[in-house]
């Protein structure tokens, strides 16, 4: 997990849903829309967020439990760029 991942999860927890472009425009995010999209794909792969429609994401129950400290990300599948973005 990276600091950006934590920020994405916290944002989705407070807002309910968001797109990478919406998050890129928010204060507190310093990453590009593309980088946020990549991190969203990684978070989706490990089950912490889920797509709602198109590029909108929401926090899953596991994502909520992670934020509460009840799930350890080290016990989730290890996402890699090749696995997640290139199929």
């Amino acid at each position: 997990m990276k600091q950006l991942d934590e920020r994405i999860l916290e944002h989705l927890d407070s807002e309910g849903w968001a797109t990478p472009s919406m998050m890129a425009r928010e204060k507190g995010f310093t990453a590009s829309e593309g980088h946020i999209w990549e991190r969203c794909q990684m978070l989706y792969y490990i089950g912490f967020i889920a797509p709602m429609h198109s590029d909108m994401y929401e926090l899953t129950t596991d994502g909520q439990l992670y934020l509460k400290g009840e799930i350890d990300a080290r016990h989730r599948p290890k996402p890699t760029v090749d696995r997640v973005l290139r199929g």
Side-chain angles (χ1 to χ4, degrees):
M1 293 289 288
K2 298 182 176 195
Q3 186 176 10
L4 178 57
D5 299 338
E6 302 269 345
R7 181 68 189 108
I8 291 168
L9 294 176
E10 290 167 355
H11 183 78
L12 293 175
D13 188 41
S14 69
E15 298 298 320
W17 65 271
T19 66
S21 66
M22 290 169 66
M23 287 185 265
R25 292 190 302 265
E26 285 289 321
K27 188 172 61 171
F29 281 94
T30 58
S32 69
E33 177 182 346
H35 191 191
I36 293 170
W37 178 84
E38 288 175 3
R39 297 314 304 168
C40 284
Q41 294 302 303
M42 299 288 190
L43 291 167
Y44 170 55
Y45 181 83
I46 64 172
F48 285 175
I49 68 173
M52 294 173 59
H53 173 24
S54 187
D55 65 343
M56 289 189 282
Y57 294 93
E58 66 182 343
L59 196 62
T60 63
T61 300
D62 282 355
Q64 292 170 340
L65 292 172
Y66 171 80
L67 288 175
K68 291 178 183 176
E70 296 178 22
I71 289 182
D72 190 337
R74 292 179 293 180
H75 298 35
R76 307 305 283 193
K78 268 286 200 232
T80 65
V81 172
D82 286 335
R83 271 191 219 155
V84 176
L85 301 180
R86 295 186 183 110

